[in-house]
Amino acid sequence: METTGAGSAKLVAACVIGGIVLGASVLALHLAGPVAIPALPPADSLRRRFSRRRRRPVRVYMDGCFDMMHYGHCNALRQAHALGDELIVGVVSDDEITANKGPPVTPLHERLIMVRAVKWVHDVIPDAPYAITEDFMNKLFNEYNIDYIIHGDDPCLLPDGTDAYALAKKAGRYKQIKRTEGVSTTDIVGRMLLCVRERSASDSHNHSSLQRQFSHGHGQKIDDSGSGSGTRISHFLPTSRRIVQFSNSRGPGPDSRIVYIDGAFDLFHAGHVEILRLARELGDFLLVGIHTDQTISSTRGPHRPIMNLHERSLSVLACRYVDEVIIGAPWDVSKDMITTFNISLVVHGTIAENMDFMKDDLNPYAVPRAMGIYRRLESPLDITTSTIIRRIVSNHEAYQKRNEKKEASEKKYYDSKSFVNGE
């Protein structure tokens, strides 16, 4: 009984003490005022947060011939990428291009190298059809998980006059971007054809060089020689915004190994891409020097370059292997320049338009060679700007007919052109 009494006393004491503590807590809460208790987020909000974490990337598809790929193509791919998270690019086969537009200047394997090198491209589909059929569209949606099909605001018509993207529009999975003005493959081929005609003209004709016409934005030049080619001089207007859009936001780190390579990079082609890829593998940061129009004209003739300095700069900036460019780089690589940019290695390929400068006393790489930081790289592809021009010249009639056909549709586009919002 005594044990039971003692236990009861302890229980009573515990209850009293507990009551006192509880009362004190209630009094403290009362004196402190109301306390906000955080509410749990609604169930639908939690679901949205969870789905955002697990949301698959938006995949967009854009196709094209990408023949003689230029900065206009690159800007289209940049805009397409901005409409999603991953850009998948279809590259049309040689046979499809020939059937619908005429023979391509660059074969499929070179065009694939070019497209894969564009920094906004996630993946590539080779041998894509020129027109999107229902079967191919379903393959894009079901196998490649494509959400939207993208094309520019310029019409893409099949030989029978129908819209190549009619099915995508009908499916509600089509988005449009703004065409990049001032350049097209047709325009570039026209420049080369004009270059060939001017070179064959009498030397007594005191005409200005193509380079000056392209660089200084002379008015549209329509060929009235009777050939009917209707060649246009580029009306490309460079802006600081466009250069920023193409540029990388990052610079080299304090301990980066900076590799430097320079050149004209005219008619930017697969040979350029491959030597830039090799150069980038030798360091952490690839700096590319792009020579001025005047420098190129003085070393390669008055009809070069075909593309002006700003056009060439944008093409190089779009390449995924390039970190930074010097727009209007000097011909000679000086000690001051090496110090200013903290260059660790200067490289040059074994394939170029003219390697005679290597024998001259005034070798532009004399300083880096003396410093022991110069290296020649074996060029993976035997392609130069002259290679591309020779392809045009050797098939002159076919390309002229192709241009005449394409220029008719381009004229119709420009005549009916209206403002399209975009970047």
Side-chain angles (χ1 to χ4, degrees), residues 24-102:
S25 300
V26 172
L27 179 63
L29 286 172
H30 177 72
L31 294 175
V35 177
I37 300 174
L40 291 173
D44 60 339
S45 176
L46 287 172
R47 279 195 298 270
R48 281 197 300 271
R49 291 182 191 177
F50 184 69
S51 65
R52 273 200 299 269
R53 289 194 201 103
R54 299 192 59 183
R55 178 180 69 87
R56 73 169 180 82
V58 174
R59 290 166 66 86
V60 295
Y61 172 82
M62 187 172 194
D63 60 14
C65 302
F66 303 105
D67 194 16
M68 293 185 60
M69 194 161 182
H70 49 72
Y71 65 90
H73 291 133
C74 298
N75 192 46
L77 295 175
R78 181 191 65 80
Q79 291 182 80
H81 177 266
L83 296 176
D85 302 306
E86 296 177 356
L87 172 61
I88 314 302
V89 180
V91 183
V92 178
S93 69
D94 293 341
D95 290 341
E96 286 272 283
I97 296 175
T98 302
N100 288 278
K101 300 178 71 173

Side-chain angles (χ1 to χ4, degrees), residues 304-320:
R304 297 288 189 86
I306 302 296
M307 311 290 284
N308 70 41
L309 176 61
H310 290 97
E311 293 176 309
R312 292 181 284 117
S313 297
L314 289 178
S315 292
V316 175
L317 276 171
C319 181
R320 68 172 70 249

Side-chain angles (χ1 to χ4, degrees), residues 185-386:
T185 300
T186 306
D187 165 60
I188 296 170
V189 170
R191 296 189 205 184
M192 284 185 280
L193 293 175
L194 179 60
C195 177
V196 171
R197 287 195 296 273
E198 288 206 3
R199 287 185 65 179
S200 63
S202 170
D203 289 340
S204 62
H205 292 171
N206 212 357
H207 55 262
S208 62
S209 71
L210 288 180
Q211 170 264 319
R212 291 195 185 93
Q213 294 175 47
F214 299 153
S215 301
H216 300 305
H218 288 190
Q220 283 189 343
K221 179 174 180 177
I222 305 300
D223 175 38
D224 56 2
S225 64
S227 65
S229 67
T231 300
R232 296 170 181 261
I233 295 300
S234 169
H235 250 200
F236 169 63
L237 300 175
T239 63
S240 58
R241 178 176 175 79
R242 180 70 77 232
I243 293 173
V244 169
Q245 288 170 337
F246 273 53
S247 299
N248 293 333
S249 58
R250 65 184 183 279
D255 300 319
S256 293
R257 179 175 169 81
I258 300 174
V259 179
Y260 178 74
I261 185 171
D262 61 5
F265 299 100
D266 195 15
L267 298 178
F268 195 64
H269 52 70
H272 292 138
V273 167
E274 288 296 89
I275 198 66
L276 291 174
R277 177 180 60 80
L278 291 185
R280 182 62 175 80
E281 290 173 356
L282 297 175
D284 309 305
F285 192 91
L286 181 60
L287 176 65
V288 181
I290 304 175
H291 295 148
T292 65
D293 298 338
Q294 291 74 21
T295 296
I296 297 167
S297 292
S298 65
T299 56
R300 299 179 190 180
H303 296 283
R304 297 288 189 86
I306 302 296
M307 311 290 284
N308 70 41
L309 176 61
H310 290 97
E311 293 176 309
R312 292 181 284 117
S313 297
L314 289 178
S315 292
V316 175
L317 276 171
C319 181
R320 68 172 70 249
Y321 309 120
V322 176
D323 295 292
E324 181 65 287
V325 303
I326 299 175
I327 302 175
W331 177 253
D332 294 312
V333 182
S334 66
K335 177 68 168 65
D336 179 69
M337 178 178 166
I338 291 170
T339 303
T340 298
F341 291 100
N342 195 26
I343 295 170
S344 305
L345 182 67
V346 177
V347 299
H348 194 279
T350 54
I351 301 295
E353 290 286 312
N354 185 354
M355 298 294 287
D356 290 344
F357 64 83
M358 300 299 293
K359 306 169 188 175
D360 296 339
D361 294 336
L362 300 176
N363 188 317
Y365 304 108
V367 170
R369 287 179 70 176
M371 295 174 65
I373 61 169
Y374 174 80
R375 186 188 301 183
R376 286 185 68 183
L377 301 180
E378 190 69 33
S379 298
L381 296 177
D382 187 5
I383 304 173
T384 65
T385 300
S386 293

Side-chain angles (χ1 to χ4, degrees), residues 108-151:
L108 178 63
H109 72 275
E110 291 180 21
R111 292 184 285 119
L112 289 173
I113 289 173
M114 296 297 294
V115 175
R116 286 189 176 113
V118 176
K119 60 187 175 185
W120 298 289
V121 174
H122 181 80
D123 201 0
V124 171
I125 301 175
D127 293 312
Y130 188 81
I132 295 182
T133 63
E134 189 165 1
D135 286 344
F136 185 72
M137 184 173 70
N138 290 332
K139 184 176 182 180
L140 289 177
F141 294 157
N142 299 324
E143 293 185 25
Y144 291 97
N145 295 318
I146 298 299
D147 296 288
Y148 297 102
I149 294 171
I150 317 293
H151 191 258

